[in-house]
Amino acid sequence: MTAVLPQPRPALETERAATPRRYLMCRPEHFDVSYAINPWMDVTRGADRELAIRQWETLRQTYLDLGHQVEVITPVPGLPDMVFAANGGLVIEGRALGARFTHAERRAEGPAYLAWLADAGLKEVFAPVHVNEGEGDFLVVGDLVLAGTGFRTDPGAHTEVQELFGIPVISLRLVDPRFYHLDTALAVLDERTVAYYPAAFSPGSRGVLQRLFPDAVLADEADAVVLGLNAVSDGKHVVLPYAATGLAAQLEERGYVPVGVDLSELLKAGGSVKCCTLEIRA
Ligand code: ARG
């Protein structure tokens, strides 16, 4: 029997083209490292909230300078990780699925983000059934959704997303606890191209990525451990942690324009550029 798989997506040869995006962000006004739910978080080290806010403002300004629209959600006291807006939901073609968090510490973020989405002028907003951490584990690549599991998002949510949006969902298993969300191990560069760190995935999932994206940018461990793959691309400009210099050079070779930002304070909670950014797709 011949396996039926989506066709490989060779990288575009043409000039990189940026398209304006609509992003949701959350100012880290209540940011802290007061619990540890991933290996990056060390409660004894704490966090400098003022510095986190300054670094976050730089990211916001970077998006505005690139011509993107940035909206903000009101931060809720007692939710130090709410700055990681990517986890707040998944929005495709003006339809949104809310998030349902794995850990009790973040659970109240689900309804807070859902309320924002319900008020954002979208066509439809759905409350989640299965545990899913939004765009932390769901990444849209053209007409596919890549979906992570292994640490946070339940595979049941992968089916939920496929049924809800009618878009093929490709399940990928994460195996390294440092890369606990898909968006820490894989970056979407444009509608056909991704960058990823192969060792973060199970052998089978690595095989799937090779078949689907034979021309992917492969990141090494040095770039992965500074969360270099936690990047946001508009098709041309790739905003990424400044410390991911090897990855930035590879992107430049492929015709992208890397834009490095310093989010070192947010890295103490295990997050960076993409984690701070939820795309609201019309
Ligand atoms: N401290 C947060 C957590 O462990 C960080 C979330 C990062 N977000 C992301 N999209 N990877 O849940």
Side-chain angles (χ1 to χ4, degrees):
M1 207 180 91
T2 317
V4 179
L5 273 176
Q7 288 308 298
R9 286 159 163 68
L12 287 176
E13 296 291 328
T14 50
E15 167 96 14
R16 308 289 169 203
T19 50
R21 311 289 170 122
R22 179 181 178 196
Y23 295 133
L24 175 64
M25 297 180 71
C26 180
R27 203 167 186 266
E29 274 163 40
H30 308 293
F31 180 65
D32 200 359
V33 180
S34 52
Y35 53 77
I37 56 172
N38 70 52
W40 301 84
M41 301 175 91
D42 176 356
V43 294
T44 63
R45 200 154 67 120
D48 180 341
R49 187 173 300 157
E50 292 311 311
L51 180 56
I53 291 174
R54 285 201 298 280
Q55 291 178 339
W56 179 91
E57 289 289 358
T58 307
L59 177 63
R60 181 173 162 271
Q61 193 57 49
T62 300
Y63 290 142
L64 295 173
D65 292 346
L66 290 171
H68 304 307
Q69 186 186 339
V70 178
E71 283 164 81
V72 290
I73 180 172
T74 309
V76 177
L79 297 177
D81 274 336
M82 195 172 166
V83 59
F84 300 117
N87 298 129
L90 173 66
V91 186
I92 305 173
E93 293 170 349
R95 302 169 75 234
L97 173 66
R100 194 170 150 194
F101 286 82
T102 310
H103 299 98
E105 292 89 339
R106 296 195 67 184
R107 217 150 280 160
E109 293 182 43
Y113 276 100
L114 195 66
W116 187 92
L117 291 167
D119 216 28
L122 301 170
K123 286 180 216 140
E124 280 178 297
V125 178
F126 299 90
V129 176
H130 297 279
V131 167
N132 91 74
E133 298 201 350
E135 280 205 328
D137 275 322
F138 289 113
L139 294 173
V140 178
V141 195
D143 52 6
L144 292 180
V145 175
L146 303 183
T149 190
F151 296 101
R152 302 288 179 90
T153 297
D154 188 293
H158 297 185
T159 314
E160 189 178 352
V161 163
Q162 177 158 293
E163 287 303 316
L164 202 58
F165 295 100
I167 299 178
V169 172
I170 308 287
S171 287
L172 299 168
R173 181 160 295 276
L174 297 162
V175 296
D176 182 331
R178 295 173 299 173
F179 310 109
Y180 55 93
H181 275 140
L182 182 63
D183 72 355
T184 63
L186 186 146
V188 178
L189 301 175
D190 59 40
E191 301 211 328
R192 302 162 148 261
T193 319
V194 301
Y196 65 97
Y197 175 52
F201 295 91
S202 68
S205 296
R206 244 179 277 158
V208 169
L209 288 170
Q210 270 160 20
R211 284 174 200 268
L212 286 178
F213 305 105
D215 299 326
V217 174
L218 300 182
D220 63 19
E221 187 172 18
D223 288 320
V225 295
V226 294
L227 289 193
L229 290 160
N230 199 244
V232 171
S233 174
D234 62 14
K236 177 173 185 167
H237 312 97
V238 184
V239 183
L240 81 171
Y242 78 105
T245 50
L247 180 59
Q250 286 199 73
L251 294 173
E252 225 164 356
E253 264 167 44
R254 302 282 196 106
Y256 297 99
V257 180
V259 181
V261 295
D262 182 3
L263 292 182
S264 58
E265 217 43 43
L266 295 165
L267 191 60
K268 293 180 179 171
S272 193
V273 174
K274 170 59 204 169
C275 298
C276 292
T277 316
L278 178 64
E279 184 166 351
I280 311 297
R281 295 180 188 80

